[in-house]
Amino acid sequence: MINSFPARGYEGRPDWNDLLIDFGASLFFDGISIEETKARVRGQLCYLALPFEDISTFQRLASLTNLLSWRVRLAPEIMCLSPNSLAGICSLDRGLNADQQAHASARRAMSLQVFRATGPVIIPPVAGWEDSQELYQIAGTALSAQRPVFALKEGVIDV
């Protein structure tokens, strides 16, 4: 059972080629199409990973819009859960003066619970995904647990 992020050995700057070298193309599908992803994970509950930590409130709102857009694009073949939807609601509810450390801790706990409840990880091509330490940690953790990761490459789509 996964008890925490980060994945050991993947704490530094994101280097997605390292994941490909370490886990191979049989677990890390970099540049895969939406259609092929749907064919491979049809009917599974997936973790939809989008950047959220260390971004502005405005970018978090955009992330929530992206989340809804990607859920629609992947449905009905794939059902996705994402901690971003829960964390976004919590951050909006708490306002700008919220205890940021408590919020970050609660979000990490939500991420871990969603991660445990899901299978494959899907990373859509939204702005900033390649530089996201958060997504790199999620991918490294998933791959270390022998869960496939699908990094979609259909051109960056951002709302």
Side-chain angles (χ1 to χ4, degrees), residues 34-49:
I34 292 173
E35 291 75 25
E36 189 174 347
T37 301
K38 286 180 176 183
R40 289 179 179 270
V41 297
R42 178 170 307 199
Q44 295 184 51
L45 181 60
C46 296
Y47 185 110
L48 185 60

PDB file of all heavy atoms in Angstrom, residues 34-49:
ATOM      1  N   ILE A  34      -5.246   9.855 -26.893  1.00  0.00           N
ATOM      2  CA  ILE A  34      -6.438   9.646 -26.060  1.00  0.00           C
ATOM      3  C   ILE A  34      -7.120   8.337 -26.464  1.00  0.00           C
ATOM      4  O   ILE A  34      -7.528   7.557 -25.599  1.00  0.00           O
ATOM      5  CB  ILE A  34      -7.420  10.820 -26.203  1.00  0.00           C
ATOM      6  CG1 ILE A  34      -6.827  12.071 -25.585  1.00  0.00           C
ATOM      7  CG2 ILE A  34      -8.758  10.496 -25.556  1.00  0.00           C
ATOM      8  CD1 ILE A  34      -7.657  13.310 -25.822  1.00  0.00           C
ATOM      9  N   GLU A  35      -7.221   8.090 -27.749  1.00  0.00           N
ATOM     10  CA  GLU A  35      -7.903   6.885 -28.223  1.00  0.00           C
ATOM     11  C   GLU A  35      -7.202   5.616 -27.749  1.00  0.00           C
ATOM     12  O   GLU A  35      -7.845   4.668 -27.316  1.00  0.00           O
ATOM     13  CB  GLU A  35      -8.011   6.901 -29.757  1.00  0.00           C
ATOM     14  CG  GLU A  35      -8.946   7.959 -30.299  1.00  0.00           C
ATOM     15  CD  GLU A  35      -8.371   9.372 -30.240  1.00  0.00           C
ATOM     16  OE1 GLU A  35      -7.128   9.531 -30.240  1.00  0.00           O
ATOM     17  OE2 GLU A  35      -9.176  10.317 -30.170  1.00  0.00           O
ATOM     18  N   GLU A  36      -5.875   5.597 -27.840  1.00  0.00           N
ATOM     19  CA  GLU A  36      -5.143   4.416 -27.393  1.00  0.00           C
ATOM     20  C   GLU A  36      -5.237   4.245 -25.876  1.00  0.00           C
ATOM     21  O   GLU A  36      -5.350   3.132 -25.372  1.00  0.00           O
ATOM     22  CB  GLU A  36      -3.681   4.487 -27.825  1.00  0.00           C
ATOM     23  CG  GLU A  36      -2.949   3.177 -27.568  1.00  0.00           C
ATOM     24  CD  GLU A  36      -1.537   3.158 -28.112  1.00  0.00           C
ATOM     25  OE1 GLU A  36      -1.166   4.036 -28.908  1.00  0.00           O
ATOM     26  OE2 GLU A  36      -0.789   2.242 -27.718  1.00  0.00           O
ATOM     27  N   THR A  37      -5.215   5.364 -25.161  1.00  0.00           N
ATOM     28  CA  THR A  37      -5.376   5.302 -23.709  1.00  0.00           C
ATOM     29  C   THR A  37      -6.737   4.724 -23.358  1.00  0.00           C
ATOM     30  O   THR A  37      -6.845   3.852 -22.488  1.00  0.00           O
ATOM     31  CB  THR A  37      -5.200   6.695 -23.080  1.00  0.00           C
ATOM     32  OG1 THR A  37      -3.893   7.182 -23.413  1.00  0.00           O
ATOM     33  CG2 THR A  37      -5.364   6.651 -21.571  1.00  0.00           C
ATOM     34  N   LYS A  38      -7.769   5.187 -24.036  1.00  0.00           N
ATOM     35  CA  LYS A  38      -9.121   4.662 -23.792  1.00  0.00           C
ATOM     36  C   LYS A  38      -9.176   3.157 -24.043  1.00  0.00           C
ATOM     37  O   LYS A  38      -9.788   2.417 -23.275  1.00  0.00           O
ATOM     38  CB  LYS A  38     -10.148   5.371 -24.676  1.00  0.00           C
ATOM     39  CG  LYS A  38     -10.462   6.770 -24.240  1.00  0.00           C
ATOM     40  CD  LYS A  38     -11.493   7.388 -25.184  1.00  0.00           C
ATOM     41  CE  LYS A  38     -11.917   8.759 -24.744  1.00  0.00           C
ATOM     42  NZ  LYS A  38     -12.965   9.320 -25.617  1.00  0.00           N
ATOM     43  N   ALA A  39      -8.528   2.706 -25.087  1.00  0.00           N
ATOM     44  CA  ALA A  39      -8.532   1.273 -25.408  1.00  0.00           C
ATOM     45  C   ALA A  39      -7.804   0.462 -24.334  1.00  0.00           C
ATOM     46  O   ALA A  39      -8.216  -0.644 -23.994  1.00  0.00           O
ATOM     47  CB  ALA A  39      -7.894   1.041 -26.778  1.00  0.00           C
ATOM     48  N   ARG A  40      -6.743   1.005 -23.769  1.00  0.00           N
ATOM     49  CA  ARG A  40      -5.942   0.276 -22.779  1.00  0.00           C
ATOM     50  C   ARG A  40      -6.567   0.243 -21.388  1.00  0.00           C
ATOM     51  O   ARG A  40      -6.364  -0.719 -20.649  1.00  0.00           O
ATOM     52  CB  ARG A  40      -4.535   0.872 -22.680  1.00  0.00           C
ATOM     53  CG  ARG A  40      -3.685   0.579 -23.889  1.00  0.00           C
ATOM     54  CD  ARG A  40      -2.308   1.229 -23.726  1.00  0.00           C
ATOM     55  NE  ARG A  40      -1.462   0.946 -24.850  1.00  0.00           N
ATOM     56  CZ  ARG A  40      -0.654  -0.113 -24.942  1.00  0.00           C
ATOM     57  NH1 ARG A  40      -0.608  -0.994 -23.974  1.00  0.00           N
ATOM     58  NH2 ARG A  40       0.086  -0.293 -26.005  1.00  0.00           N
ATOM     59  N   VAL A  41      -7.286   1.289 -20.995  1.00  0.00           N
ATOM     60  CA  VAL A  41      -7.789   1.353 -19.618  1.00  0.00           C
ATOM     61  C   VAL A  41      -9.317   1.443 -19.539  1.00  0.00           C
ATOM     62  O   VAL A  41      -9.851   1.777 -18.479  1.00  0.00           O
ATOM     63  CB  VAL A  41      -7.136   2.506 -18.813  1.00  0.00           C
ATOM     64  CG1 VAL A  41      -5.652   2.289 -18.691  1.00  0.00           C
ATOM     65  CG2 VAL A  41      -7.442   3.850 -19.400  1.00  0.00           C
ATOM     66  N   ARG A  42      -9.983   1.124 -20.614  1.00  0.00           N
ATOM     67  CA  ARG A  42     -11.449   1.163 -20.643  1.00  0.00           C
ATOM     68  C   ARG A  42     -12.032   0.446 -19.428  1.00  0.00           C
ATOM     69  O   ARG A  42     -11.621  -0.651 -19.071  1.00  0.00           O
ATOM     70  CB  ARG A  42     -11.941   0.478 -21.911  1.00  0.00           C
ATOM     71  CG  ARG A  42     -13.452   0.417 -22.042  1.00  0.00           C
ATOM     72  CD  ARG A  42     -13.807  -0.038 -23.407  1.00  0.00           C
ATOM     73  NE  ARG A  42     -13.052   0.889 -24.133  1.00  0.00           N
ATOM     74  CZ  ARG A  42     -13.107   1.316 -25.383  1.00  0.00           C
ATOM     75  NH1 ARG A  42     -13.796   0.894 -26.108  1.00  0.00           N
ATOM     76  NH2 ARG A  42     -12.401   2.195 -25.937  1.00  0.00           N
ATOM     77  N   GLY A  43     -12.982   1.117 -18.775  1.00  0.00           N
ATOM     78  CA  GLY A  43     -13.677   0.512 -17.654  1.00  0.00           C
ATOM     79  C   GLY A  43     -12.957   0.602 -16.313  1.00  0.00           C
ATOM     80  O   GLY A  43     -13.499   0.181 -15.305  1.00  0.00           O
ATOM     81  N   GLN A  44     -11.756   1.165 -16.302  1.00  0.00           N
ATOM     82  CA  GLN A  44     -11.011   1.284 -15.044  1.00  0.00           C
ATOM     83  C   GLN A  44     -11.203   2.672 -14.439  1.00  0.00           C
ATOM     84  O   GLN A  44     -11.454   3.643 -15.147  1.00  0.00           O
ATOM     85  CB  GLN A  44      -9.520   1.043 -15.289  1.00  0.00           C
ATOM     86  CG  GLN A  44      -9.210  -0.368 -15.748  1.00  0.00           C
ATOM     87  CD  GLN A  44      -7.719  -0.579 -15.868  1.00  0.00           C
ATOM     88  OE1 GLN A  44      -6.968  -0.299 -14.946  1.00  0.00           O
ATOM     89  NE2 GLN A  44      -7.285  -1.073 -17.026  1.00  0.00           N
ATOM     90  N   LEU A  45     -11.078   2.731 -13.138  1.00  0.00           N
ATOM     91  CA  LEU A  45     -11.116   4.001 -12.436  1.00  0.00           C
ATOM     92  C   LEU A  45      -9.691   4.545 -12.390  1.00  0.00           C
ATOM     93  O   LEU A  45      -8.788   3.899 -11.845  1.00  0.00           O
ATOM     94  CB  LEU A  45     -11.660   3.808 -11.017  1.00  0.00           C
ATOM     95  CG  LEU A  45     -11.789   5.059 -10.154  1.00  0.00           C
ATOM     96  CD1 LEU A  45     -12.732   6.075 -10.796  1.00  0.00           C
ATOM     97  CD2 LEU A  45     -12.283   4.676  -8.765  1.00  0.00           C
ATOM     98  N   CYS A  46      -9.478   5.696 -12.989  1.00  0.00           N
ATOM     99  CA  CYS A  46      -8.133   6.255 -13.129  1.00  0.00           C
ATOM    100  C   CYS A  46      -7.953   7.521 -12.304  1.00  0.00           C
ATOM    101  O   CYS A  46      -8.912   8.216 -11.977  1.00  0.00           O
ATOM    102  CB  CYS A  46      -7.867   6.592 -14.593  1.00  0.00           C
ATOM    103  SG  CYS A  46      -7.852   5.138 -15.670  1.00  0.00           S
ATOM    104  N   TYR A  47      -6.687   7.809 -11.997  1.00  0.00           N
ATOM    105  CA  TYR A  47      -6.294   9.032 -11.302  1.00  0.00           C
ATOM    106  C   TYR A  47      -5.971  10.059 -12.372  1.00  0.00           C
ATOM    107  O   TYR A  47      -5.052   9.864 -13.166  1.00  0.00           O
ATOM    108  CB  TYR A  47      -5.071   8.734 -10.443  1.00  0.00           C
ATOM    109  CG  TYR A  47      -4.591   9.873  -9.566  1.00  0.00           C
ATOM    110  CD1 TYR A  47      -4.743   9.786  -8.182  1.00  0.00           C
ATOM    111  CD2 TYR A  47      -3.959  10.980 -10.082  1.00  0.00           C
ATOM    112  CE1 TYR A  47      -4.282  10.798  -7.344  1.00  0.00           C
ATOM    113  CE2 TYR A  47      -3.498  11.997  -9.264  1.00  0.00           C
ATOM    114  CZ  TYR A  47      -3.665  11.905  -7.898  1.00  0.00           C
ATOM    115  OH  TYR A  47      -3.209  12.897  -7.075  1.00  0.00           O
ATOM    116  N   LEU A  48      -6.729  11.135 -12.433  1.00  0.00           N
ATOM    117  CA  LEU A  48      -6.488  12.209 -13.387  1.00  0.00           C
ATOM    118  C   LEU A  48      -5.611  13.254 -12.701  1.00  0.00           C
ATOM    119  O   LEU A  48      -6.037  13.904 -11.752  1.00  0.00           O
ATOM    120  CB  LEU A  48      -7.810  12.819 -13.851  1.00  0.00           C
ATOM    121  CG  LEU A  48      -7.733  13.871 -14.938  1.00  0.00           C
ATOM    122  CD1 LEU A  48      -7.092  13.304 -16.212  1.00  0.00           C
ATOM    123  CD2 LEU A  48      -9.125  14.406 -15.247  1.00  0.00           C
ATOM    124  N   ALA A  49      -4.373  13.376 -13.160  1.00  0.00           N
ATOM    125  CA  ALA A  49      -3.375  14.221 -12.497  1.00  0.00           C
ATOM    126  C   ALA A  49      -3.161  15.506 -13.280  1.00  0.00           C
ATOM    127  O   ALA A  49      -2.748  15.475 -14.434  1.00  0.00           O
ATOM    128  CB  ALA A  49      -2.062  13.459 -12.363  1.00  0.00           C
TER     129      ALA A  49
END
